[in-house]
Amino acid sequence: MPTFGDQHRTAVHASIDVVASVSPGDLGLATPCAGWTLADLLTHMTAQHHGFAAAARGHGANPAVWQTEPFTAAIATDPAGTYAAAAHDALSAFAAAGLDDALFALPEFGRDVSLPGRIAMGFHFVDYVVHGWDVAATIRSPFTLPTDVVAAVLPIVMAVPDGEFRNATGAPFARSLEHSDDGDDFAGILRHLGRNPSWARTSA
């Protein structure tokens, strides 16, 4: 794995831990991801683990490996177990030797798009830092990452460009929010990726 491998694993395990607190009764809750219920978010997260694992094994060009539909029913009945299995599979795939420079096919970024593994796994790292927080905020659970994890993901996050393209349907992140000088790097990560660190759902 790339130099942030340990921190990446820690972030994914933190997401597993927070999803372990999700019950089927929570799945209809609104999330910080506009228009998505918790079921939608967990299905997306599970499918992305599956797709990235396939990409690490050389099969990412197949659009079927990125589809959410195969996980919908399983998330509805066993959100924690279904998610954890997919997350562990991705981490297992990423543990293979020589992936930093191997090409990962990522058709969600465009037809015939392939990127070096170190970049692709960086995308995955960012996703599960922020999606772990999304889940935690939804179920009103604490979500704290170690300082070394935040330090490792921060430059990757800040390299994510902002612009009008983030307003498009299907854009991975909403427009960046105004940054604060409060010294809270994790809050800065959330703002750069279009999240309000103070977000709270209004429904019970």
Side-chain angles (χ1 to χ4, degrees), residues 19-150:
V19 175
S21 297
V22 173
S23 70
D26 295 325
L27 295 175
L29 296 173
T31 73
C33 303
W36 278 10
T37 64
L38 187 54
D40 297 328
L41 175 59
L42 291 179
T43 302
H44 165 79
M45 292 167 67
T46 300
Q48 288 290 296
H49 281 313
H50 187 255
F52 273 92
R57 294 173 177 135
H59 308 299
N62 179 0
V65 303
W66 300 93
Q67 292 179 358
T68 57
E69 289 79 5
F71 303 103
T72 303
I75 287 291
T77 57
D78 182 15
T82 302
Y83 176 77
H88 284 298
D89 185 46
L91 291 179
S92 176
F94 290 168
L99 288 185
D100 276 15
D101 296 314
L103 290 179
F104 282 42
L106 302 175
E108 291 196 332
F109 290 88
R111 184 177 178 180
D112 300 325
V113 170
S114 292
L115 296 171
R118 63 185 179 278
I119 296 175
M121 288 185 281
F123 291 162
H124 188 269
F125 186 15
V126 169
D127 273 355
Y128 290 90
V129 165
V130 72
H131 283 326
W133 178 85
D134 289 333
V135 175
T138 300
I139 63 172
R140 297 174 178 164
S141 176
F143 188 72
T144 303
L145 293 171
T147 55
D148 66 313
V149 173
V150 175

